[in-house]
Amino acid sequence: MPGHSTTDLSRLRTALTVFFALDGFIFAGWVVRIPAIKEQTNASATTLGLALLGVSAGAVVTMILTGRLCRRYGNHQVTVACAVLLCLSVALPPLTHSALALGAVLLVFGSAYGGINVAFNSAAVDLVHALRRPIMPSFHAAFSLGGMAGAGLGALVAGALSPTQHLLGLTALGLLVTAFTGRVLLRIPPPAPPRDTPQASPRAHRPGAGTRPLVLTFGLIALCTAYGEGALADWSALHLKQDLDVTAGMAAAGYSCFALAMTIGRLTGTRLLERLGQTRTLVAGGTTAAIGMLLGALAPALWIVLLGFVITGLGLANLFPVAIERAGTLAGPDGVAIASTLGYGGMLLGPPAIGFMADWFSLPLALTSVAALAATAAVIALLTHRATQR
């Protein structure tokens, strides 16, 4: 693999950052139009829920397969191909008129979403090792910022544009960005890892008997983190409205505080990792998130709950990117695929698990499960560090 100049690596970093942001932007644009598309398809809550499983099913199946595609065709090529499919498929949901058709097109959309997540995370792992700097959180910060921009734009245009016009606009914008940024990825080959990193060994490209348990443990850390993200996205507003009796606007502010704190945490993640190292960042993050979520779930005063959500966001911010990066270091694209699949499973598991526990006990008590899993992630990180030192 040819050597790369500093300029090439800088251009690669910029291109990958754009793709992470585009992914968040496109996905958030779809999410904010779900209510309008539910009305258009005349779907009940149950049938809409089943249709939305298409995203999850497509993503999980594709994540498992994408590691092989990346090994065969290259991380950069798969990233660009999945970006094109993601941009095209986001325009399909508003063209459907039944829950069945919606589920079918969401299977395609979910496949593109799952594929691009594995591909660009794998490309980012290569770049992290070439630069010898822990920049993985900065890419995930770009995803978060893209999501906030996509949701904000969706809220602004919801009254003026139909879902078809809005999502077709996202397709056009996304394809334009992919055409310009994709050329950089396709022209510059992935950097070879330095010889003294685990990935430099050919055996690192497939998880073997020795590395698979470690890859799975980092996948479990990703799962614990994503469980919290999914739970707060779906349940934080209801918790504030139902248990603290606040207005609808203030209830929505709860998740905004969490999302903004997570973005800030990721923007400062590289500096944190350079100071603390990966293991201490994971342990400190999991512990911080656990404390924050206990406040967010159980505190009786609104300001303490919002403070708890902020602390939780700061704590969880860097757990997912670090877990994905470490899995990729151990096993290349296959490691990223395994950890991403487990992480995405956690995001799917969180909301329904909270719902069941809320029915059995109470919503505040159910939300403490986020704290329990964050603490579990910290313990796993500590034990994994000890295992790798042997």
Side-chain angles (χ1 to χ4, degrees):
M1 196 83 59
H4 288 70
S5 67
T6 304
T7 304
D8 281 347
L9 294 177
S10 178
R11 289 176 69 205
L12 273 181
R13 182 177 181 179
T14 301
L16 284 172
T17 300
V18 170
F19 275 115
F20 271 84
L22 179 67
D23 186 41
F25 183 78
I26 295 284
F27 192 79
W30 142 248
V31 167
V32 297
R33 299 318 291 244
I34 288 175
I37 290 168
K38 175 182 183 293
E39 191 176 327
Q40 180 181 302
T41 55
N42 292 316
S44 67
T46 301
T47 53
L48 177 68
L50 289 171
L52 291 175
L53 279 176
V55 178
S56 313
V60 168
V61 170
T62 311
M63 280 177 171
I64 295 167
L65 298 174
T66 305
R68 296 177 189 175
L69 291 175
C70 287
R71 280 203 320 273
R72 182 166 183 179
Y73 299 106
N75 300 332
H76 294 182
Q77 286 79 357
V78 176
T79 296
V80 174
C82 288
V84 171
L85 184 59
L86 184 77
C87 295
L88 290 173
S89 59
V90 76
L92 299 177
L95 305 179
T96 61
H97 297 282
S98 71
L100 185 63
L102 179 61
V105 300
L106 289 181
L107 199 63
V108 179
F109 180 68
S111 297
Y113 179 73
I116 195 173
N117 272 270
V118 171
F120 62 32
N121 272 298
S122 298
V125 169
D126 289 343
L127 188 57
V128 165
H129 290 288
L131 291 171
R132 293 178 177 269
R133 286 195 69 208
I135 59 168
M136 199 70 171
S138 69
F139 294 120
H140 289 259
F143 174 85
S144 299
L145 288 168
M148 292 168 74
L153 177 67
L156 284 174
V157 304
L161 299 179
S162 69
T164 304
Q165 292 169 325
H166 174 203
L167 297 183
L168 273 174
L170 293 189
T171 293
L173 179 62
L175 289 174
L176 196 63
V177 170
T178 301
F180 281 99
T181 314
R183 288 163 67 190
V184 177
L185 284 191
L186 296 177
R187 283 179 179 175
I188 303 176
R195 290 183 181 180
D196 58 344
T197 65
Q199 265 195 319
S201 165
R203 290 180 299 171
H205 291 289
R206 288 195 182 200
T211 59
R212 187 177 290 272
L214 282 175
V215 169
L216 289 172
T217 58
F218 291 125
L220 286 175
I221 292 174
L223 184 152
C224 292
T225 308
Y227 176 97
E229 287 187 58
L232 278 160
D234 284 24
W235 292 101
S236 58
L238 186 64
H239 170 51
L240 290 174
K241 197 167 187 311
Q242 174 184 290
D243 300 315
L244 278 82
D245 199 27
V246 302
T247 63
M250 189 56 74
Y255 181 69
S256 300
C257 288
F258 169 78
L260 185 59
M262 180 166 270
T263 304
I264 291 168
R266 286 174 170 173
L267 286 170
T268 56
T270 296
R271 191 169 297 176
L272 189 70
L273 282 162
E274 286 176 335
R275 286 189 175 183
L276 298 182
Q278 290 182 331
T279 299
R280 281 193 287 178
T281 298
L282 290 171
V283 173
T287 306
T288 301
I291 293 167
M293 201 57 229
L294 288 175
L295 288 175
L298 303 176
L302 174 64
W303 72 271
I304 302 178
V305 172
L306 293 179
L307 177 63
F309 286 170
V310 168
I311 294 170
T312 304
L314 290 172
L316 291 181
N318 296 304
L319 299 190
F320 192 91
V322 171
I324 296 296
E325 194 265 314
R326 291 191 77 170
T329 298
L330 285 165
D334 280 339
V336 173
I338 291 168
S340 298
T341 304
L342 282 168
Y344 199 77
M347 192 167 280
L348 298 178
L349 175 68
I354 296 286
F356 286 127
M357 286 186 280
D359 282 341
W360 291 335
F361 307 109
S362 68
L363 183 52
L365 204 59
L367 286 170
T368 62
S369 64
V370 175
L373 283 185
T376 301
V379 172
I380 292 172
L382 198 58
L383 295 176
T384 304
H385 175 71
R386 288 174 180 166
T388 57
Q389 297 310 299
R390 291 187 187 128

